[in-house]
Amino acid sequence: VTAKSIEDLPTPAVVVDLDVLERNIRSMAERALESGVRLRPHAKTHKVLEVGRKQLAAGAPGLTLAKTGEAEIFAAAGFTDLFLAYPIVGEEKARRLLALSDRCDIAVGVDSIDGALSLDRAFRAASRRLGVLLEIDCGLQRTGVLPSEALSVAARIGELPGLRLCGVFTHAGQAYLAENAQAAAAVARTEGDAAVQVAERLREAGHAIGEVSVGSTPTAREGMRVAGVTECRPGTYVYNDASQVSIGSCSPEDCALTIIATVVSVPARDRAVLDAGSKTLSSDPLWPKPGGHGFLVGRVSRIARLNEEHGVIAVAPGESFRVGERVAVLPNHACIVSNLHDQIHAARQGRIEEVWTVAARGAVT
Amino acid sequence: VTAKSIEDLPTPAVVVDLDVLERNIRSMAERALESGVRLRPHAKTHKVLEVGRKQLAAGAPGLTLAKTGEAEIFAAAGFTDLFLAYPIVGEEKARRLLALSDRCDIAVGVDSIDGALSLDRAFRAASRRLGVLLEIDCGLQRTGVLPSEALSVAARIGELPGLRLCGVFTHAGQAYLAENAQAAAAVARTEGDAAVQVAERLREAGHAIGEVSVGSTPTAREGMRVAGVTECRPGTYVYNDASQVSIGSCSPEDCALTIIATVVSVPARDRAVLDAGSKTLSSDPLWPKPGGHGFLVGRVSRIARLNEEHGVIAVAPGESFRVGERVAVLPNHACIVSNLHDQIHAARQGRIEEVWTVAARGAVT
């Protein structure tokens, strides 16, 4: 791409505003420092090495990822401290983790004996120990053991010579249903308290629980303040998105990532169509309540429906669009947009400074 | 990837059954031959050069695509007859189309004077003519001019020296709301009749309308039979998916593409979690009515919700899942799954014969 300005980019294109990005990184890092917790940003949001490096430069000791394939890409690029906040399972993954542990500090999530056993075999055979954090379900009802089951599962994991149970972690994704920032903060306190209490009980039973890791973007700033929390893992804060605005965890001015699209059809007064559909914006809904497929910056009209290459705008009364016009879209969910695109255009005041490869895009295994 | 068998693939992985794929390609090609229409498959479904070559080998004269970037990739690989069934707009795209027209026959959709003018400038300046097909809205209310407006728009396009108005095209995507195959067939007849009538009126006005192009997978077999239709553009038929099964346009045995996933967590009797979420399956809904995030092959249980790396199964009474178990998922929407993955594993009776690159993945501009 030879475009020097956002105005010259072929559309659709993903643009990140560097001033906003750097402010977001700095602001969360400062909050972590004030709160006395380590910030371990979830790099799933960007999957970009350059952004990860900015997060480390701002004070993060390492990054969070979900999948082994993502860790392989970041480790190959020189990142040396990674946590996979995900229940990694199976001997194929265990062998890859073993290879990764040669080049970086890597720890992973675990939430079952069967999963733990499948990791233990590979590390035990190599006379090594893999650091694992026990996932605690603090109300999301996704993965993780209930607080009431943590002690019995930890006891079994503690017996495995290939593993080292070094912490607990939670993810309060239910905060995405919060109606406002106050409600999200309440979720954060409940999450933090639950994680700290479980950690205390595990310590009383003799486990060396060093890490009490919590976090998501809506809960991060409050969760960091809970006494006993040692680490926080927000991801989306780096870019923010329409859902974060709707939940109340940021303002529109805090959103760094937009999609530049072109109006390709205006077939009726109340309808205009963008060259950005679900292949560009994804079909992910707006949180906490459905409300179209992204915000049109500076417009009241909403993107009412999507097909793969079509974003159909329901034109609001008093607004109009013309064929060829360019618009900026604030997507519902920034993380999934990153996963759809090979390149991100990093711009400052409209000028493109860098083009980043989304290095860990599609690394799902 | 060195796996020889589906059983050995790291998960999640996308697998295409070659026997089913080849039967789907053959069956649609035979129907087109019987009906006396050209089959121009929409390659957006697969974005794979090898699959496109199979479609040509079965009799298709060329392929349909949506975006200029997709055409560039297929043209570079030797495909010489392409139609972009999309309103291409703007001088940047026009310049790229001009370059493409050096190496292949390319035609594009148009549905506005402004769009047509932006293409005309580049081709007129080069003393060339770009073939365009006027898009007719036969009820989808997405892009396209209404039948009542076709004559006046065509009159303006016909005056542009850089364009050659050579056909009309429609897409009856409203068939995805059809409750069964009969309802979809009715949509197909309405679509075909509308397109043929518009073509007749344009011919009476002196336009050399050679192509009357219709189609989608649910409407293809019936639409081909409409007298006056010359070309049909189904896409999804090549793989099929859970939505096609639900609409009634195929049976589960006709589905060639599945995602192999692993159960990574069974935190409760009624809940199991797969290592395939919206990054693997997409958040696209099931058509014609929402109903989970894909079918679990051989199971009654459904994937009730998705996050990026989590597919949360609501375990049906009487069924159970164990950590480490592998499952096959028939996705809601095959086309968007193709866009999420770099590689497709082509297998026959469980053995992997080829690994295909999804060559046009992410080519959204």
Side-chain angles (χ1 to χ4, degrees):
Chain A
V1 173
T2 54
K4 295 285 170 47
S5 156
I6 291 176
E7 296 301 310
D8 302 325
L9 285 173
T11 66
V14 185
V15 174
V16 163
D17 185 304
L18 282 164
D19 289 329
V20 179
L21 172 78
E22 291 165 3
R23 192 173 71 222
N24 291 345
I25 289 174
R26 202 164 51 234
S27 159
M28 192 64 83
E30 285 167 2
R31 178 75 169 206
L33 193 66
E34 284 164 22
S35 307
V37 305
R38 281 182 292 278
L39 180 64
R40 184 183 288 281
H42 204 315
K44 67 167 188 159
T45 299
H46 54 78
K47 309 178 214 302
V48 169
L49 303 173
E50 290 86 343
V51 178
R53 289 187 191 116
K54 286 178 190 286
Q55 291 173 317
L56 296 198
L63 298 179
T64 304
L65 290 160
K67 294 296 189 83
T68 308
E70 295 175 323
E72 288 167 340
I73 289 163
F74 275 80
F79 289 78
T80 57
D81 183 355
L82 301 173
F83 170 49
L84 301 183
Y86 194 83
I88 306 290
V89 163
E91 296 189 23
E92 184 265 336
K93 303 285 190 285
R95 283 193 300 273
R96 290 162 61 191
L97 290 173
L98 188 62
L100 272 170
S101 70
D102 284 338
R103 68 195 309 169
C104 65
D105 285 332
I106 184 146
V108 309
V110 64
D111 83 343
S112 70
I113 306 298
D114 287 341
L117 285 168
S118 71
L119 300 177
D120 173 62
R121 278 188 286 273
F123 279 78
R124 179 201 301 227
S127 300
R128 301 266 276 274
R129 301 191 88 170
L130 174 65
V132 297
L133 281 75
L134 181 63
E135 182 169 3
I136 309 299
D137 180 0
C138 63
L140 180 56
Q141 298 188 306
R142 191 174 68 177
T143 45
V145 302
L146 293 173
S148 58
E149 297 166 349
L151 206 55
S152 65
V153 175
R156 296 282 306 277
I157 293 172
E159 293 167 2
L160 300 175
L163 303 185
R164 185 169 50 83
L165 180 61
C166 55
V168 296
F169 78 105
T170 64
H171 171 67
Q174 64 270 34
Y176 281 83
L177 290 170
E179 293 288 328
N180 54 49
Q182 287 69 36
V187 171
R189 287 188 294 270
T190 305
E191 175 196 20
D193 288 342
V196 170
Q197 284 167 25
V198 169
E200 274 310 309
R201 266 184 284 147
L202 298 189
R203 285 179 189 129
E204 285 162 14
H207 298 283
I209 301 299
E211 212 69 90
V212 181
S213 176
V214 302
S216 68
T217 292
T219 60
R221 288 165 187 275
E222 191 71 17
M224 286 176 183
R225 300 268 160 122
V226 175
V229 165
T230 66
E231 179 180 275
C232 191
R233 311 184 317 280
T236 312
Y237 80 96
V238 73
Y239 289 157
N240 287 314
D241 55 28
S243 291
Q244 297 297 340
V245 172
S246 297
I247 295 166
S249 68
C250 72
S251 70
E253 295 70 38
D254 300 321
C255 292
L257 182 145
T258 49
I259 288 105
I260 310 297
T262 299
V263 176
V264 293
S265 177
V266 185
R269 285 179 64 160
D270 60 355
R271 180 167 20 108
V273 182
L274 297 178
D275 63 354
S278 57
K279 275 177 58 183
T280 302
L281 301 168
S282 94
S283 298
D284 271 26
L286 182 71
W287 294 93
K289 281 187 258 193
H293 297 282
F295 298 162
L296 290 165
V297 176
R299 299 292 198 124
V300 174
S301 303
R302 287 292 187 91
I303 303 174
R305 54 188 232 260
L306 291 182
N307 293 119
E308 285 150 82
E309 301 287 11
H310 300 77
V312 182
I313 299 172
V315 179
E319 292 197 337
S320 66
F321 294 83
R322 59 179 176 71
V323 170
E325 178 176 358
R326 293 161 76 99
V327 299
V329 182
L330 182 60
N332 284 345
H333 187 186
C335 315
I336 203 83
V337 168
S338 293
N339 190 54
L340 293 170
H341 298 273
D342 294 324
Q343 291 188 323
I344 304 285
H345 303 86
R348 207 181 299 272
Q349 297 183 328
R351 281 189 64 81
I352 297 165
E353 293 196 357
E354 295 181 57
V355 181
W356 295 329
T357 298
V358 187
R361 192 207 61 72
V364 286
T365 71
Chain B
V1 176
T2 55
K4 294 287 169 45
S5 155
I6 290 176
E7 297 301 311
D8 302 326
L9 286 172
T11 66
V14 186
V15 174
V16 163
D17 185 305
L18 283 163
D19 288 330
V20 179
L21 172 78
E22 291 166 2
R23 192 173 72 222
N24 290 347
I25 289 174
R26 201 164 52 235
S27 160
M28 192 64 84
E30 285 168 0
R31 178 74 169 208
L33 193 66
E34 285 165 23
S35 307
V37 305
R38 281 181 292 278
L39 180 64
R40 183 182 288 280
H42 204 314
K44 68 168 186 159
T45 300
H46 53 77
K47 312 179 211 303
V48 169
L49 303 172
E50 291 86 343
V51 177
R53 290 187 189 115
K54 286 178 188 285
Q55 291 174 316
L56 297 198
L63 298 180
T64 304
L65 289 160
K67 293 297 189 82
T68 308
E70 296 175 322
E72 287 167 340
I73 289 162
F74 275 80
F79 289 78
T80 57
D81 184 356
L82 301 174
F83 170 50
L84 301 184
Y86 194 84
I88 306 290
V89 163
E91 296 190 23
E92 183 264 338
K93 303 285 189 285
R95 285 194 300 272
R96 290 161 62 191
L97 290 173
L98 187 63
L100 271 170
S101 72
D102 285 337
R103 65 196 310 168
C104 66
D105 286 332
I106 186 146
V108 309
V110 64
D111 84 343
S112 70
I113 306 297
D114 286 340
L117 285 168
S118 71
L119 299 177
D120 173 62
R121 279 189 285 273
F123 279 78
R124 181 200 299 227
S127 300
R128 300 267 276 274
R129 302 193 85 171
L130 174 66
V132 296
L133 281 76
L134 181 62
E135 182 169 4
I136 309 299
D137 180 359
C138 63
L140 179 56
Q141 298 189 307
R142 191 174 67 178
T143 44
V145 302
L146 293 173
S148 58
E149 297 166 348
L151 207 56
S152 65
V153 176
R156 297 280 306 278
I157 293 172
E159 292 167 1
L160 301 175
L163 303 185
R164 186 168 51 82
L165 179 61
C166 56
V168 296
F169 79 106
T170 64
H171 170 67
Q174 64 270 35
Y176 281 83
L177 291 170
E179 292 288 328
N180 53 47
Q182 287 69 38
V187 171
R189 288 189 294 271
T190 304
E191 174 195 21
D193 288 343
V196 170
Q197 284 169 23
V198 169
E200 273 310 307
R201 267 184 282 148
L202 297 189
R203 286 178 188 127
E204 285 163 13
H207 298 283
I209 301 299
E211 213 68 88
V212 181
S213 177
V214 301
S216 69
T217 291
T219 60
R221 289 165 185 275
E222 191 72 16
M224 288 176 182
R225 298 270 160 119
V226 174
V229 165
T230 66
E231 180 179 274
C232 192
R233 310 184 318 278
T236 312
Y237 80 96
V238 73
Y239 288 158
N240 287 313
D241 55 27
S243 291
Q244 298 297 339
V245 172
S246 297
I247 295 165
S249 68
C250 73
S251 70
E253 295 71 38
D254 300 322
C255 293
L257 182 144
T258 49
I259 287 105
I260 310 298
T262 298
V263 176
V264 292
S265 177
V266 185
R269 285 179 65 159
D270 61 354
R271 180 167 20 109
V273 181
L274 297 177
D275 63 353
S278 57
K279 275 177 56 183
T280 302
L281 301 168
S282 93
S283 298
D284 271 25
L286 182 70
W287 295 93
K289 280 186 260 193
H293 297 281
F295 298 162
L296 290 165
V297 176
R299 299 291 197 126
V300 174
S301 302
R302 286 294 186 88
I303 302 174
R305 54 188 233 259
L306 290 183
N307 293 119
E308 285 150 82
E309 302 287 10
H310 300 78
V312 182
I313 299 172
V315 179
E319 291 196 337
S320 65
F321 294 83
R322 58 179 175 72
V323 169
E325 177 177 358
R326 292 162 76 99
V327 300
V329 182
L330 182 59
N332 284 345
H333 187 187
C335 315
I336 203 83
V337 169
S338 293
N339 191 55
L340 293 170
H341 298 274
D342 294 324
Q343 291 190 322
I344 303 285
H345 302 88
R348 206 181 301 273
Q349 297 183 328
R351 280 189 64 82
I352 297 163
E353 293 195 357
E354 296 179 57
V355 180
W356 295 329
T357 298
V358 186
R361 193 207 61 71
V364 286
T365 71

